[in-house]
Amino acid sequence: MSWVAGAWQSLTGSWGVDHPLLLGLLVLAALPLAASPLIRQGIPSVFLAPADGLSRAVSLSLRLAGSVAILAIVLGLAGLHRREQMIARQGTGAHLVLLLDRSSSMDNSFADRAPSGDQEAKSVVAKRLLDDFVARRARDRIGVAAFSTSPMPVLPLTDHHEVVRAAIAAIDRPGLAFTDVGRGLALALSSFADDEDEASRAILLVSDGAALIDRKVQETLRDAVARTPVHLYWLFLRSRGAKGIFEEPPPGENTPQANPERHLHLFFQSLGVPYRAFEATSPRAVEQAIAEIDRQETRPITYFERVPRRDLARPAFAVAAGATTLLLLAKLAERNLVRSVPTAAAARPQPAVRRAA
């Protein structure tokens, strides 16, 4: 019976059965076409009966109902199902890596002190708004990386957003002391190494500061963006009183040691990739910046939707029950045709009886 399974596999692409050997019983579906469970009535000559299209249609329908019932029962017993599929669809979105600063300064508020009252730590604000951001980006593939004293891979590119949101929920854990943004960015770029889809690639850096980037690391980053062009966004969570990245520093302070954030901004501008920086000094400003990034990354993208397996045994048995019910009703509606034949006694003439005078 292996030929049955092979034939079924070749004829069906997205359909399958759990017990293919039972498909050999499908030949029984031809029985209702060759025989009928209904009582046959003898007619001396069919030419004496007028042509009745309705009767022929009813007869054919009952035979087909019998075949359908057998087919449905066999397919239900065989475990008919539709296989899991990956369907390509068109939408808007990007392949995005969230690069999160986990230095200890992120645990402070925008006033650059421990949160108190209704104040929130910068990491808490980032977590809340990034979670909303991911919830709106249903078609994106998103990865997560972090950095402080060293880079930390958290999550590769994935379309399972529940996992992404769980990774974001952990960014408000206590951070470490230093900020190695250079190697963190190199880690984020390496997330696209195996990404062969023709989709927009973007890195969203969320940080409240910067540090000096070694020249070797700078060259590594230039080589990486040359091989893997990306859109780069920097959401700079600026503490009140800190130096801005867009301000021209006074003479004598325009050095990487005195103003590392501005020089990081200048370095990003020199990479030759689409780059945009957002400077936020409050939760409202962070929200506006993330909303703008959301509007920027709306390019066409091909994504794959996973359609899970669907068992069809119950629907098959339901079809079989309906067809069987129809046959049962037809059987209950049968009536015997009894021909009235005169008996010999009734047909024989009765002798006349004389009455006595």
Side-chain angles (χ1 to χ4, degrees):
M1 300 293 286
S2 60
W3 65 271
V4 177
W8 175 261
Q9 182 67 29
S10 62
L11 290 174
T12 60
S14 59
W15 302 89
V17 291
D18 296 325
H19 309 289
L21 295 182
L22 291 179
L23 297 178
L25 298 176
L26 290 176
V27 297
L28 299 177
L31 290 179
L33 302 178
S36 173
L38 303 178
I39 298 175
R40 293 184 175 274
Q41 302 293 343
I43 299 177
S45 176
V46 294
F47 297 104
L48 298 178
D52 186 1
L54 178 60
S55 297
R56 293 178 181 176
V58 170
S59 176
L60 179 60
S61 299
L62 293 177
R63 291 176 183 272
L64 291 177
S67 297
V68 169
I70 295 176
L71 284 172
I73 291 173
V74 172
L75 291 177
L77 292 175
L80 179 66
H81 61 267
R82 190 166 187 175
R83 297 189 183 95
E84 180 182 282
Q85 302 177 71
M86 297 294 291
I87 301 177
R89 301 191 185 280
Q90 295 292 326
T92 57
H95 292 183
L96 180 66
V97 173
L98 304 178
L99 180 58
L100 308 175
D101 186 352
R102 286 304 305 120
S103 60
S104 57
S105 59
M106 288 287 290
D107 298 330
N108 294 333
S109 68
F110 283 93
D112 200 21
R113 57 174 178 265
S116 61
D118 58 350
Q119 295 180 341
E120 291 181 296
K122 286 174 282 189
S123 59
V124 174
V125 173
K127 178 182 75 169
R128 173 168 50 83
L129 296 177
L130 286 175
D131 184 78
D132 294 340
F133 173 77
V134 171
R136 295 193 300 268
R137 310 283 300 186
R139 307 306 179 200
D140 288 357
R141 295 187 67 207
I142 301 177
V144 181
F147 65 93
S148 58
T149 304
S150 61
M152 296 173 283
V154 178
L155 192 68
L157 287 171
T158 179
D159 53 3
H160 295 285
H161 287 189
E162 298 84 0
V163 182
V164 175
R165 297 174 73 175
I168 293 174
I171 69 173
D172 61 345
R173 299 295 184 268
L176 301 178
F178 302 105
T179 305
D180 192 348
V181 64
R183 289 198 297 159
L185 185 57
L187 173 63
L189 286 168
S190 68
S191 300
F192 300 110
D194 299 327
D195 184 17
E196 299 179 355
D197 294 346
E198 296 182 1
S200 176
R201 300 182 180 92
I203 295 176
L204 172 54
L205 167 62
V206 181
S207 175
D208 66 341
L212 298 179
I213 300 181
D214 185 84
R215 290 198 174 273
K216 290 185 178 180
V217 178
Q218 291 184 14
E219 294 304 319
T220 300
L221 293 175
R222 294 185 191 278
D223 292 341
V225 297
R227 293 191 304 269
T228 310
V230 297
H231 297 171
L232 179 59
Y233 300 95
W234 182 17
L235 179 54
F236 175 43
L237 307 182
R238 176 186 172 186
S239 300
R240 296 189 186 99
K243 299 175 181 179
I245 59 177
F246 301 116
E247 303 171 1
E248 186 71 29
E253 296 184 12
N254 192 14
T255 63
Q257 292 78 11
N259 203 334
E261 289 81 12
R262 175 167 172 77
H263 279 265
L264 179 63
H265 170 61
L266 296 176
F267 171 70
F268 287 161
Q269 288 181 326
S270 69
L271 288 176
V273 297
Y275 164 68
R276 187 169 178 182
F278 300 86
E279 196 173 77
T281 58
S282 66
R284 176 61 179 167
V286 176
E287 183 178 4
Q288 293 174 345
I290 290 180
E292 179 61 25
I293 296 171
D294 191 12
R295 286 190 292 270
Q296 292 287 331
E297 292 300 320
T298 55
R299 295 168 180 80
I301 186 175
T302 300
Y303 65 96
F304 291 88
E305 182 176 346
R306 186 185 302 275
V307 179
R309 165 179 160 147
R310 182 184 177 187
D311 291 319
L312 299 174
R314 287 189 176 182
F317 288 135
V319 171
T324 304
T325 301
L326 179 61
L327 293 174
L328 178 61
L329 293 176
K331 189 68 177 176
L332 295 176
E334 280 187 308
R335 294 295 181 269
N336 290 326
L337 297 179
V338 179
R339 290 185 296 176
S340 58
V341 180
T343 60
R348 186 182 310 120
Q350 297 295 327
V353 178
R354 288 185 179 183
R355 291 185 179 180

